[in-house]
Amino acid sequence: MEVRIKILYTSICHTDLSAWKGENEAQRAYPRILGHEAVGLVESVGEGVTDLKAGDHVIPIFNGECGHCPYCTTKTTNLCQTYRVNPFKSVMENDGKCRFSTKDGEPIFHFLNTSTFTEYSVLDSACVVKIDPNSPLKKMSLLSCGVSTGVGAAWNAANVQAGSSVAIFGLGALGLAASEGARARGASKIIGVDINPGKFDKGKEMGMTHFVNPKDISKPVHQRIREMTGGGVDYSIECAGNVEVLREAFLSTHDGWGKTVVVGIYPTPKMLPLHPMELFDGRSISGTIFGDFQGKEPTS
């Protein structure tokens, strides 16, 4: 149930940088092959693999899907009982061993079910998805994480409605993808928040209509957004991985119905910057993994 793929293209996600720096002590495992956004070519398949064959063009997905466990069959979550994303996991599922090694035979650990910063990688077949070989392969690597997670945050997790307002905190790849998702769903006002104004032009290309630079205002960001929207946005999407920013995102939503989606990765042991009573104002907050998409499940 394993697949060996030749990596054609791979890209860098901030999560790779965080793991490289060892920002979460509990997740450290070295030496390790990082990387989880890629597109590749199946080189060979192991016993039991029926949905993939040598020569298939594929993308790895860090949030795998077996298709038959209680989680996969409920259709109410995109987490899999066995192959869900697990930053603490550094070996293969079948035997608890590594498929990489040094010249001396010492193990080199895996990362996020994928390990794409290498010429060849071995993955569980549950973490590999076949794609159209005529796709723009160099760009398809972003579907492994950034684009899928950001777009899905707006489409699936927030369920942005036509005519609504959205604030996006952090305008990296995730934030830009979230904006494209909100635009595709028909949002009428998309506010981009970032301390780097150099990102605003790219934000406009991705559908953002307004911008806030926290460094340029003398009041909290949530107050400015409430003023701009007559009480707050319908949805906020936090892509920065900063608990102080998360609080501003939460408070920027409209009381009664505002919804905040957490996308960013936060350093441990940070906790939610909220008092439970603040939820009594009708605002809600939730997280999303891989944009709530089921990577291997066919969609219409």
Side-chain angles (χ1 to χ4, degrees):
M1 298 304 297
E2 296 177 0
V3 178
R4 184 162 60 198
I5 66 175
K6 179 180 181 180
I7 303 296
L8 300 179
Y9 299 98
T10 185
S11 52
I12 299 175
C13 174
H14 197 275
T15 302
D16 299 309
L17 300 179
S18 297
W20 173 60
K21 295 176 182 178
E23 292 179 346
N24 187 327
E25 291 185 12
Q27 297 176 7
R28 294 177 183 174
Y30 305 111
R32 195 175 205 177
I33 295 177
L34 301 176
H36 63 283
E37 291 185 335
V39 61
L41 193 67
V42 174
E43 185 268 344
S44 57
V45 301
E47 181 181 351
V49 178
T50 59
D51 61 332
L52 298 164
K53 64 181 185 303
D56 284 345
H57 288 78
V58 295
I59 61 172
I61 53 173
F62 60 85
N63 193 51
E65 184 180 340
C66 73
H68 53 75
C69 72
Y71 291 81
C72 288
T73 55
T74 62
K75 306 302 180 184
T76 58
T77 179
N78 70 334
L79 298 177
C80 174
Q81 183 172 353
T82 303
Y83 299 104
R84 69 173 69 186
V85 58
N86 181 357
F88 299 99
K89 183 178 176 182
S90 58
V91 294
M92 295 298 289
E93 182 64 32
N94 286 339
D95 57 6
K97 298 180 180 179
C98 300
R99 300 294 178 265
F100 307 114
S101 63
T102 67
K103 290 188 297 182
D104 298 326
E106 295 298 316
I108 298 175
F109 294 108
H110 296 253
F111 179 66
L112 294 186
N113 292 328
T114 50
S115 291
T116 64
F117 291 171
T118 177
E119 291 181 281
Y120 290 88
S121 189
V122 176
L123 299 81
D124 294 297
S125 62
C127 300
V128 182
V129 179
K130 183 179 178 179
I131 61 172
D132 185 342
N134 296 314
S135 303
L137 298 180
K138 190 173 183 178
K139 298 178 181 179
M140 292 296 285
S141 66
L142 294 176
L143 291 180
S144 291
C145 179
V147 169
S148 297
T149 299
V151 169
W155 283 5
N156 301 324
N159 191 22
V160 170
Q161 299 296 300
S164 62
S165 56
V166 183
I168 299 173
F169 290 73
L171 306 187
L174 287 173
L176 294 174
S179 180
E180 178 59 31
R183 174 169 64 175
R185 291 298 295 267
S188 61
K189 180 175 289 187
I190 304 175
I191 303 170
V193 181
D194 202 291
I195 59 175
N196 181 0
K199 298 180 179 180
F200 293 169
D201 286 342
K202 181 62 69 173
K204 290 179 182 178
E205 294 179 25
M206 305 302 285
M208 294 180 186
T209 58
H210 300 76
F211 298 92
V212 175
N213 184 343
K215 292 184 176 181
D216 291 343
I217 57 178
S218 58
K219 61 184 67 176
V221 172
H222 76 267
Q223 290 186 13
R224 176 64 182 132
I225 290 178
R226 288 186 188 181
E227 293 171 354
M228 296 169 65
T229 56
V233 290
D234 301 306
Y235 312 94
S236 67
I237 302 176
E238 202 290 316
C239 302
N242 182 303
V243 292
E244 294 179 0
V245 176
L246 175 58
R247 178 161 182 78
E248 290 299 306
F250 177 76
L251 294 176
S252 72
T253 61
H254 204 292
D255 65 334
W257 62 79
K259 182 172 185 177
T260 298
V261 176
V262 178
V263 180
I265 302 298
Y266 297 80
T268 299
K270 298 293 186 180
M271 305 296 284
L272 279 175
L274 309 173
H275 190 285
M277 295 298 293
E278 291 181 301
L279 297 172
F280 285 24
D281 284 334
R283 297 182 178 92
S284 64
I285 184 169
S286 64
T288 181
I289 290 293
F290 199 49
D292 287 6
F293 284 116
Q294 290 182 286
K296 292 177 74 74
E297 180 70 16
T299 57
S300 57

